[in-house]
Amino acid sequence: MTSSSSSSFRSYKYDVFLSFRGEDTRKNFVDHLYKALEDRLVRTYKDDITLPRGESVGSTLLKAIEESNIAVIVFSKNYAVFYDVDPSEVRKQKGEFGKAFAKQETENVTKAESWRNALVDTSNISGWEPKNLANGHESAAIKEIVDTIFNRLFPLDLDVDVDEKLVGMRDRLQDLILRLKIWSGGVLMVGIWGIGGGGKTTLATSLYTKISRQFEGHCIIESIREESHKRGLKRLQEDILSAVFKTKGQVHSVAEGKRKIKSMLCHRNVLVILDDVDHLDQLEALAGSHKWFGDGSRIIITTRDEHLLRTHRVDHVCPVTLLSHEEAIGLFNNHAYNEKKQVTDYEKLSSRVVFYAAGLPLALKILGSFLYDKDEKEWMSTLARLKNIPESEIVEKLKLSYDGLKNVEKELFLDIACFFRRSSRNDAMEILDACGFHPDIGITVLIQKSLITIDSEGKFDMHDLIQEMGHFIIRGEHLDNPEKHSRVWKYEDIKKMYDGDATTENDKIEAIRDYQGLDMDSFQKELWRSHKHLPQLKVLQLHSSRKLISTPNFDGLPCLQKLELCSCDDLEEVHPSIGNHRSLKSVTVSACPNLRMFPTIFKMESLELLGIYSCHKSLKFPDIQANMESLVELNLNGIGIEGLLSSIGERCTSLISLHLYNCFIIKSIEINFDRLKHLKDFRFCGNTQPGEMLLDLFTEVFPQLTHCLQRLDLGDCCLEDGEIPSAIGEMLSHFSL
C-alpha cells in the first residue's frame, strides 16, 4: 500500500485505487476487499465499476491513479496485499510470479527492467499476506486491511481540523474525543448537556464529521424534540436503521423498532448521535441500553436536561462551556464583520453586542448575521431596542426549556428570574417555600434543565438572556402595561403603580419587588394612594421604605403569604386588617423604630412564623384572640414588653421554637408552658430580669418542658454561680444547654 506524501495538502477524487489482475482476483479477493471499503464509505476506484465506458483504458487509469490518495496493489500469481504469492517471489521474480514476469520480459526487455526495479521497491513496502493473517481466514484478513487503510486515510489525531467559523470548537472537540476513548472497547453513552443555544449540536456534529468513518455504521438524528412530535418515534427508528445499513428501513411500531435496532446493531460497531433529546421515551425508543450496540460503539446524546442523562444511566455527562470573551469576539466577527461595508466604531459597537450575548453562540450568530449589512445608525438602533425588546429568534430557542417545565416549575423559574437572581439561595428558598412552590425539588429541576445555577457563594444565578427570556414571558403582549403582568420588578413600573392613576383592581400581579432606597417622596405616607385589589399577590417585601408611615389595607391582598417590613424608619402602623388575614404564613417586622403596636390577631390561622425584631421599646405584644395552630416559630428580639401573655400557651399550642432575645422590661411570664407540648427550642437570651422572675422560670416553667425540650439557651442573662438551681442539672440529659 502506498500513499501520496502530500496527501494532507490536497484533495483527491478517490481515497483508494485498487490495482490487480482481473483474471486472478476480480471476482473473489478483490471483490470482497472493494465491498468492505465501500461499506466504510471509502471512495474506491475499481476499473470494472468506476471506469466509464468508451474511454481509453490507459489514460483513464493513469489519471485515476493520480487522483487517488492511496494505491493498493494486489500481487497475485499472474500480476504484480500478496494474494496467494510469497513476497520473496515478487522481490526476486521467482515461482509462478517469476514465470509470468519472464513472459513479459521476452516482449519488452527495457520495460521489464524498469518493472523489475519497481517490483523490488514495491515488495519492500510493508504489506499483507492474507494466508498469514487471522489464521488464513480471508474475511478477517480483509477487515484488518480495510481498518489499516481507513486509519491511514482518517487518522484519529487530536489536532482536529475544525471549520474555522466554529470558533472555540477545537479544544472542546478534543476534550470530547478523549472522553470517548474510541481506541478502547466496550459501549459508551455520553451526554452533552447545557443551555439552549450553547453549542451542543455544533459540538456533536463536529464530532460526527471527524470520527464517523471510524465506525462500521453511523448516523446522526437531528432535532429529536421537534421531529418526534412531527413524525413520531417510528420514523426516527427507521432513520437510524436506514442510515446505518444504507437501505430503506421500515418499522410498524415503536416496540418493533426497538427490537430491530437491538437485533441489527448489537454486533456492529456504530456511532449514533441523538440531538436535542427532551424526553426519556425518546431515549428508550432509540438507544434503550448499552446492550443494543456492538463492542466499540459510541452513543452521543445532546440535551438541555441533565436529569434525562442521569436517568438513562449514561457513562459520562459533559457540560458544554460557553465561549470566553475572546472566543465570542471571534465568532461574532465571523458573522458580523463586512469588509465591503465597514462600520465606524465597529470594535466599540461589537463589544457591546458581545457583552449582551454573554458567551452564548446562538445569540452571537443571530445578532452577527443580522448586523452584517447594517450601518452604524442601524447598529445603534438595534442595541437600543435590545434593552427593552429581545431578539425573538433567540427568545424562542431559549424558551423551549421553559416550555418543558411543569406549571409549578414555571412559576418558580419566573420568580427567580424577576426577584431572586444573585440572592442567597437559603433566603430565597424560605420565601419560595412559603409560596407553596416546594422549591427543593423545583430548584433541582431548573438546574438540571440549564435554566439556573448556584454560584460559589450560594446565590442563585442564570444567563443574562435566560433571565431576559423570563422577563419577556411575563410581559407578553403587554410590554408597557405592568398592571397586566404577573410580577413587577422594574423600578419605573413599580413607581408607576405606586404613583399616578394605576387601576385599583388587578387580578394578574402575584409579586412586587421592593427597591431598597426607592424614593418614597411621591408616595408620602402610603404605599399606594388608593385601595388596591391584587388577588394574586403572594409576597410583599418592603425594605428601607423609610418614609412609609402605614402599610396598605391587607383586605385587598387576599392571597398574600409572606410579608416583610424591614428598616421602615417612619412606620407607625401595621394596618389592623392583618389580624384577619387567613392566607399569611410568614410575617417579619424588623428595624422599624417607630412601630409601637402590632394589631390584635383574630383569624391568622395559617400563620407559621411571626418575628418582631428591634422595633420601639414600648411595642406591645399582639393580643391573640384566635387559635393559631399553624404557628410553629415565634421570635421576639430587642423589644420591650411588660409580660408574655398566657394567650401564647393557650392559642399557640403547636409552637416548636420560641426565641426571646434582649426583651427588656419583662415583668412576668404568664405562659402556660405545660400546653406547649411540641416546644423543642427555647432561647431566653440577653434578658437582664429581676432575680425572682428568673427563679420562677427555673422552678415553675422548665419542669413543664422536660418531656419535649431539646435546646435551652440562657446566654447573656447575667447569671452568676449558684443562681441556677441544681434541678436544672438533672434536666441536662434531656436537652443541650
Side-chain angles (χ1 to χ4, degrees):
M1 178 178 71
T2 62
S3 62
S4 171
S5 60
S6 60
S7 61
S8 60
F9 300 100
R10 56 171 291 191
S11 60
Y12 293 90
K13 184 176 181 179
Y14 305 105
D15 295 319
V16 171
F17 179 90
L18 282 181
S19 178
F20 60 97
R21 187 171 190 272
E23 293 181 8
D24 292 345
T25 58
R26 184 187 305 279
K27 295 182 179 181
N28 43 61
F29 179 80
V30 171
D31 185 54
H32 300 154
L33 177 60
Y34 176 78
K35 180 63 167 57
L37 290 168
E38 285 292 296
D39 286 346
R40 297 289 291 274
L41 301 182
V42 175
R43 298 168 299 172
T44 306
Y45 186 95
K46 183 170 178 277
D47 59 9
D48 61 335
I49 295 176
T50 318
L51 180 65
R53 293 187 180 276
E55 291 193 6
S56 171
V57 175
S59 60
T60 302
L61 289 178
L62 288 174
K63 184 179 180 182
I65 292 172
E66 292 175 352
E67 293 177 336
S68 299
N69 192 345
I70 290 176
V72 175
I73 305 169
V74 182
F75 292 97
S76 58
K77 290 182 177 180
N78 294 298
Y79 187 65
V81 181
F82 298 103
Y83 185 72
D84 199 21
V85 62
D86 191 279
S88 64
E89 293 183 10
V90 176
R91 186 180 303 112
K92 300 177 181 179
Q93 292 90 52
K94 293 183 178 181
E96 292 296 323
F97 186 85
K99 293 178 182 179
F101 190 83
K103 182 179 179 181
Q104 295 293 328
E105 192 171 26
T106 60
E107 298 177 3
N108 191 322
V109 176
T110 302
K111 183 177 290 188
E113 184 62 29
S114 65
W115 286 2
R116 188 184 303 278
N117 294 331
L119 286 172
V120 172
D121 293 339
T122 302
S123 64
N124 287 324
I125 297 174
S126 177
W128 301 274
E129 293 181 75
K131 66 180 181 180
N132 293 330
L133 290 176
N135 294 320
H137 295 284
E138 187 169 286
S139 61
I142 287 176
K143 182 180 184 304
E144 181 173 331
I145 294 170
V146 171
D147 286 345
T148 303
I149 293 172
F150 192 93
N151 291 333
R152 178 76 64 87
L153 287 169
F154 312 107
L156 184 60
D157 54 20
L158 297 181
D159 185 20
V160 291
D161 181 19
V162 182
D163 186 339
E164 62 180 8
K165 289 188 177 181
L166 303 180
V167 178
M169 193 56 60
R170 182 180 299 273
D171 291 341
R172 290 165 176 79
L173 183 53
Q174 177 176 322
D175 291 341
L176 182 56
I177 290 176
L178 287 173
R179 179 87 66 172
L180 289 176
K181 300 178 181 178
I182 299 173
W183 54 88
S184 66
V187 177
L188 285 183
M189 289 189 180
V190 175
I192 303 175
W193 164 66
I195 184 176
K200 301 181 298 297
T201 299
T202 302
L203 178 58
T205 53
S206 297
L207 175 75
Y208 183 80
T209 301
K210 178 62 184 175
I211 70 170
S212 59
R213 289 175 178 253
Q214 301 286 334
F215 298 83
E216 294 174 350
H218 48 81
C219 66
I220 178 169
I221 309 300
E222 299 178 318
S223 305
I224 291 175
R225 176 200 303 265
E226 179 180 356
E227 292 298 317
S228 63
H229 291 294
K230 285 183 178 180
R231 301 168 56 219
L233 291 173
K234 290 187 297 183
R235 300 290 84 84
L236 299 184
Q237 290 173 325
E238 290 177 350
D239 290 346
I240 291 177
L241 295 173
S242 299
V244 172
F245 292 99
K246 309 297 186 297
T247 58
K248 177 62 176 176
Q250 191 171 15
V251 172
H252 298 95
S253 70
V254 172
E256 179 191 357
K258 291 180 180 181
R259 291 194 299 270
K260 280 191 172 183
I261 293 175
K262 180 179 180 180
S263 62
M264 297 174 71
L265 299 185
C266 64
H267 298 298
R268 294 180 70 91
N269 176 336
V270 296
L271 171 67
V272 177
I273 293 185
L274 304 176
D275 174 55
D276 195 23
V277 174
D278 75 330
H279 203 280
L280 188 60
D281 64 357
Q282 298 161 0
L283 290 177
E284 291 174 342
L286 304 176
S289 76
H290 292 66
K291 295 179 181 179
W292 285 23
F293 307 98
D295 186 51
S297 294
R298 297 295 181 265
I299 315 302
I300 313 300
I301 304 162
T302 76
T303 182
R304 305 181 186 198
D305 189 350
E306 183 189 17
H307 176 66
L308 281 182
L309 301 174
R310 301 295 184 191
T311 302
H312 200 57
R313 293 169 174 78
V314 302
D315 299 286
H316 302 291
V317 175
C318 300
V320 68
T321 56
L322 298 182
L323 299 179
S324 67
H325 182 69
E326 291 74 18
E327 291 171 338
I329 291 175
L331 179 60
F332 180 74
N333 287 342
N334 281 342
H335 293 271
Y337 184 69
N338 189 341
E339 291 184 355
K340 297 180 180 180
K341 191 174 182 179
Q342 296 191 15
V343 176
T344 306
D345 290 333
Y346 172 82
E347 290 189 6
K348 180 179 179 181
L349 292 172
S350 61
S351 293
R352 290 177 60 186
V353 180
V354 168
F355 179 80
Y356 171 82
L360 190 69
L362 171 71
L364 293 163
K365 293 176 186 178
I366 290 175
L367 294 174
S369 299
F370 175 76
L371 292 168
Y372 177 76
D373 59 350
K374 305 300 186 293
D375 58 27
E376 181 181 6
K377 185 177 180 180
E378 291 167 326
W379 275 63
M380 295 292 291
S381 177
T382 299
L383 286 166
R385 185 176 67 181
L386 287 173
K387 290 181 179 179
N388 297 308
I389 306 174
E391 182 63 36
S392 60
E393 188 176 353
I394 299 173
V395 169
E396 290 305 314
K397 289 284 187 180
L398 297 177
K399 189 172 175 288
L400 292 174
S401 298
Y402 171 85
D403 291 339
L405 298 174
K406 297 177 181 177
N407 287 337
V408 67
E409 295 160 355
K410 289 180 178 179
E411 296 297 310
L412 182 61
F413 165 74
L414 294 176
D415 273 356
I416 295 174
C418 293
F419 305 119
F420 298 117
R421 186 182 178 191
R422 301 190 179 94
S423 294
S424 165
R425 178 183 186 275
N426 293 336
D427 293 344
M429 291 285 278
E430 181 183 344
I431 298 173
L432 296 169
D433 189 47
C435 293
F437 286 136
H438 307 287
D440 289 316
I441 183 60
I443 293 301
T444 299
V445 170
L446 296 182
I447 292 174
Q448 290 177 333
K449 288 187 178 290
S450 307
L451 287 169
I452 68 170
T453 59
I454 297 177
D455 66 18
S456 59
E457 297 180 355
K459 296 180 179 180
F460 284 130
D461 204 358
M462 62 180 62
H463 192 277
D464 291 343
L465 296 181
I466 291 288
Q467 183 180 40
E468 188 173 83
M469 177 265 291
H471 291 172
F472 187 76
I473 290 171
I474 292 170
R475 294 162 68 192
E477 298 178 357
H478 308 282
L479 297 178
D480 299 320
N481 189 354
E483 293 205 38
K484 296 289 186 180
H485 305 161
S486 63
R487 294 155 180 84
V488 184
W489 66 95
K490 296 179 68 175
Y491 175 90
E492 55 269 26
D493 290 342
I494 297 171
K495 193 173 188 300
K496 180 179 178 181
M497 290 187 61
Y498 286 164
D499 198 13
D501 299 322
T503 58
T504 59
E505 183 166 349
N506 189 304
D507 61 355
K508 300 292 185 182
I509 295 177
E510 299 178 15
I512 299 175
R513 177 179 181 179
D514 175 69
Y515 277 85
Q516 187 172 2
L518 186 66
D519 182 7
M520 296 293 288
D521 287 340
S522 60
F523 312 148
Q524 300 300 326
K525 300 179 180 181
E526 298 176 330
L527 185 59
W528 41 66
R529 289 179 174 173
S530 57
H531 176 74
K532 297 286 186 184
H533 185 60
L534 304 174
Q536 298 302 316
L537 189 68
K538 296 180 180 180
V539 178
L540 180 59
Q541 296 175 304
L542 298 175
H543 292 187
S544 299
S545 299
R546 302 190 185 281
K547 297 186 179 181
L548 183 69
I549 292 180
S550 63
T551 68
N553 186 328
F554 294 100
D555 289 341
L557 313 175
C559 290
L560 192 66
Q561 296 183 7
K562 185 177 181 70
L563 172 67
E564 286 187 5
L565 303 172
C566 179
S567 300
C568 300
D569 293 350
D570 292 345
L571 183 66
E572 297 177 357
E573 177 190 25
V574 176
H575 196 279
S577 58
I578 195 174
N580 293 304
H581 204 291
R582 293 186 169 183
S583 295
L584 272 168
K585 294 183 178 182
S586 174
V587 175
T588 302
V589 183
S590 63
C592 298
N594 284 305
L595 184 63
R596 290 175 167 81
M597 185 182 70
F598 194 93
T600 299
I601 296 175
F602 291 105
K603 298 178 181 179
M604 300 183 73
E605 59 262 30
S606 298
L607 193 66
E608 298 174 0
L609 182 150
L610 175 61
I612 303 175
Y613 312 90
S614 303
C615 294
H616 196 277
K617 63 181 181 180
S618 64
L619 175 67
K620 294 182 179 180
F621 185 78
D623 186 16
I624 303 175
Q625 296 293 324
N627 291 333
M628 301 180 68
E629 295 181 355
S630 298
L631 190 67
V632 294
E633 184 173 350
L634 175 61
N635 299 324
L636 304 176
N637 189 335
I639 63 174
I641 51 180
E642 292 188 356
L644 284 179
L645 303 180
S646 59
S647 58
I648 293 179
E650 296 172 0
R651 304 289 191 180
C652 308
T653 56
S654 298
L655 270 179
I656 295 176
S657 175
L658 176 60
H659 295 176
L660 306 176
Y661 288 96
N662 304 308
C663 294
F664 47 91
I665 321 179
I666 289 182
K667 295 182 179 179
S668 63
I669 297 179
E670 302 175 12
I671 301 175
N672 182 358
F673 279 85
D674 189 47
R675 298 193 62 182
L676 301 181
K677 298 184 181 300
H678 304 284
L679 190 66
K680 297 180 180 180
D681 185 357
F682 180 41
R683 306 185 189 187
F684 190 79
C685 302
N687 299 293
T688 55
Q689 314 304 331
E692 60 271 14
M693 192 190 70
L694 286 175
L695 182 60
D696 291 342
L697 192 68
F698 292 139
T699 58
E700 299 180 15
V701 174
F702 290 159
Q704 302 175 37
L705 302 176
T706 56
H707 59 283
C708 59
L709 197 64
Q710 297 178 1
R711 178 182 174 89
L712 172 64
D713 191 342
L714 300 175
D716 298 323
C717 285
C718 299
L719 294 172
E720 298 182 1
D721 291 342
E723 290 188 345
I724 300 179
S726 58
I728 296 295
E730 300 175 3
M731 299 166 56
L732 291 179
S733 60
H734 299 285
F735 53 82
S736 60
L737 180 62

